[in-house]
Amino acid sequence: MENQNSVCFVAKINEIKPIEGADNIELGVIGGWNCIIKKGEYKVNDLVVVATTDAVIPQRLSDSMNVTNYLRNGQRVRTVKLRGVYSECLIIPMSYVSIYSNKIYNEGTDCMDALGIFKYEPPARPVQLASGRKIKYKDNENFKVYYKFPNIKNVERMFTEKDEVEVTRKIHGTNARYGIVKKSKLSIWDKIKRFFGNEWIEYEYVYGSHNVEKGSDTQGFYDTDVWRTVAEKYNIRQNLWALFKSLHGNYKFGSGIIVYGEIYGPGIQKNYDYGLKELEYAGFDVTINGEYVPCGSSNFIHKMLYLNYVPVLAVENYSEELLTKYTFDKIEGTKVPHEGVVIKAVDGNRHKVAKVINPDYLIYGEKYNIGDSH
């Protein structure tokens, strides 16, 4: 794959299966994706362009293919279940990319730019600064955003049976990160404090969402937001500083330590609150000096911070059965489908992390207008 996070790329039809009770349609298997197609329209080994779930299709393209009415709101590819089988993508004939580009397209070539297709991203939530104070906020480059890992369907050969993996529940909420990180720049006052022996002055506490810093020791904090609410509920700032200072002699923190997790519960995702009465946090990763730590260490650090870790469903060697064993579970005590699972190499290798999304969750999400998967 040219781009593991692509939502539109060239792929080969690996298999075509009959659909029981259907005379005019059949199931095409393209890599890890399934698509209901017109019977006889394609054959095995045909190269096609695949637009996966949540790809946003330009209307001029969908109109020319006569598929606009089959897309969900916002021109997005939807997941549907018909006659007991899932259809999770849209097949676009190769002739369409040749219309818009002279580029040579091979299996795995990214077609997003050529066709004007992009991945849907939910809009950012507005926030309010404390006391109306206005500042020109500058991000700390040491407060890194979380690694965006691919859907397993795009990287079928990522894992082998020799890989020991951790399988965790994928929580659907809003991404959060909290860290003690090295300051981007020391002020004159900082330098004076350092001169007089303040050994911690080069670092600061920072928190934020996936893409946006919400505040820091240096520049102040937003008045109210869910990230701050959760930080105060779990005393994250105090506990992070305590952990950082207690372990500083044993670890080379370098650029700092950051914990990553998901905030979920009432008010976070519409119609998907896990039956909770208040916000909860579940961690899933930690970086120290810019490097992701092994899964066991991440879990342990969260416990030292008195923070919950995402439910660990299995730690074992990878197998194809893991893709379905836990994916289709429902939230305990309900008929609401879980979002899916995350599979990681236990050693923290970022080249071996992927998500498995429950197709029933995608169908449920569209039906009940819940927040979007990420």
Side-chain angles (χ1 to χ4, degrees):
M1 282 283 291
E2 188 174 68
N3 173 9
Q4 290 185 347
N5 288 304
S6 176
V7 293
C8 182
F9 52 90
V10 177
K12 186 183 292 185
I13 295 181
N14 307 110
E15 188 178 0
I16 294 178
K17 301 178 179 179
I19 298 175
E20 187 175 351
D23 296 327
N24 301 316
I25 55 175
E26 52 196 354
L27 187 68
V29 181
I30 310 100
W33 299 92
N34 293 328
C35 183
I36 294 175
I37 55 178
K38 185 178 178 181
K39 198 165 190 176
E41 188 172 8
Y42 297 100
K43 60 182 183 297
V44 173
N45 292 326
D46 278 353
L47 279 182
V48 294
V49 177
V50 177
T52 64
T53 295
D54 273 344
V56 179
I57 311 297
Q59 189 164 344
R60 58 175 173 77
L61 176 59
S62 62
D63 284 348
S64 67
M65 294 177 60
N66 294 317
V67 297
T68 301
N69 291 336
Y70 296 99
L71 302 175
R72 65 183 294 189
N73 291 340
Q75 289 289 119
R76 292 152 60 191
V77 176
R78 71 203 315 177
T79 294
V80 298
K81 189 175 185 180
L82 184 63
R83 294 187 180 275
V85 299
Y86 295 103
S87 185
E88 309 156 310
C89 60
L90 172 69
I91 288 182
I92 302 171
M94 288 295 295
S95 58
Y96 282 89
V97 289
S98 62
I99 293 173
Y100 299 109
S101 172
N102 293 323
K103 182 178 177 179
I104 296 175
Y105 290 87
N106 299 309
E107 190 173 4
T109 301
D110 187 6
C111 298
M112 293 172 67
D113 289 341
L115 293 175
I117 290 172
F118 58 92
K119 186 181 188 304
Y120 173 80
E121 296 287 352
R125 295 167 180 250
V127 293
Q128 183 178 354
L129 285 171
S131 304
R133 180 187 174 205
K134 294 182 179 179
I135 62 171
K136 192 174 284 186
Y137 195 96
K138 296 180 181 179
D139 288 349
N140 185 324
E141 68 269 13
N142 292 315
F143 191 51
K144 303 293 186 184
V145 300
Y146 186 63
Y147 171 77
K148 195 168 186 176
F149 48 81
N151 191 307
I152 192 72
K153 292 176 180 291
N154 285 354
V155 286
E156 285 189 293
R157 299 180 183 87
M158 174 179 283
F159 299 102
T160 71
E161 292 181 355
K162 294 181 180 179
D163 291 316
E164 187 178 9
V165 297
E166 175 192 77
V167 183
T168 57
R169 175 66 59 211
K170 192 173 190 307
I171 303 294
H172 186 45
T174 187
N175 197 243
R177 52 190 167 130
Y178 302 91
I180 304 295
V181 296
K182 189 166 274 188
K183 293 177 180 176
S184 299
K185 184 179 180 180
L186 294 181
S187 67
I188 294 175
W189 187 237
D190 288 337
K191 292 176 182 178
I192 292 172
K193 288 182 178 179
R194 184 177 62 181
F195 178 78
F196 284 101
N198 188 330
E199 61 180 312
W200 314 114
I201 198 62
E202 294 185 3
Y203 289 87
E204 65 175 341
Y205 167 74
V206 189
Y207 78 90
S209 63
H210 176 75
N211 289 314
V212 181
E213 284 187 27
K214 300 296 182 182
S216 68
D217 285 332
T218 300
Q219 300 182 83
F221 303 93
Y222 289 109
D223 185 16
T224 55
D225 58 50
V226 296
W227 300 272
R228 182 172 179 175
T229 298
V230 165
E232 291 174 350
K233 174 181 177 178
Y234 292 101
N235 295 313
I236 293 177
R237 183 183 185 183
Q238 297 91 325
N239 293 338
L240 260 177
W241 267 120
L243 178 70
F244 183 82
K245 291 176 180 180
S246 67
L247 298 179
H248 196 263
N250 301 319
Y251 281 88
K252 293 182 178 179
F253 280 106
S255 61
I257 178 173
I258 305 171
V259 297
Y260 299 91
E262 198 82 357
I263 296 171
Y264 61 107
I268 299 297
Q269 297 293 353
K270 185 178 179 182
N271 299 323
Y272 205 84
D273 60 11
Y274 290 86
L276 298 173
K277 300 300 182 184
E278 60 182 50
L279 296 179
E280 299 284 350
Y281 168 92
F284 46 70
D285 253 318
V286 176
T287 59
I288 294 178
N289 195 22
E291 299 291 330
Y292 287 90
V293 304
C295 295
S297 298
S298 176
N299 195 338
F300 180 69
I301 289 170
H302 274 88
K303 287 179 179 177
M304 292 180 72
L305 293 169
Y306 305 100
L307 293 172
N308 295 324
Y309 193 71
V310 288
V312 178
L313 306 174
V315 178
E316 60 186 76
N317 279 33
Y318 176 80
S319 66
E320 292 292 332
E321 288 72 26
L322 284 177
L323 298 184
T324 55
K325 188 173 182 180
Y326 304 102
T327 300
F328 293 88
D329 290 348
K330 291 180 170 56
I331 296 173
E332 187 176 355
T334 76
K335 295 182 179 180
V336 179
H338 268 297
E339 184 184 7
V341 298
V342 175
I343 301 179
K344 297 179 190 173
V346 296
D347 62 3
N349 182 351
R350 285 299 106 173
H351 297 294
K352 293 201 172 186
V353 185
K355 59 187 175 184
V356 187
I357 301 299
N358 181 357
D360 288 331
Y361 157 83
L362 295 172
I363 295 169
Y364 179 92
E366 183 177 356
K367 182 177 180 181
Y368 293 99
N369 192 29
I370 67 172
D372 297 281
S373 180
H374 57 276

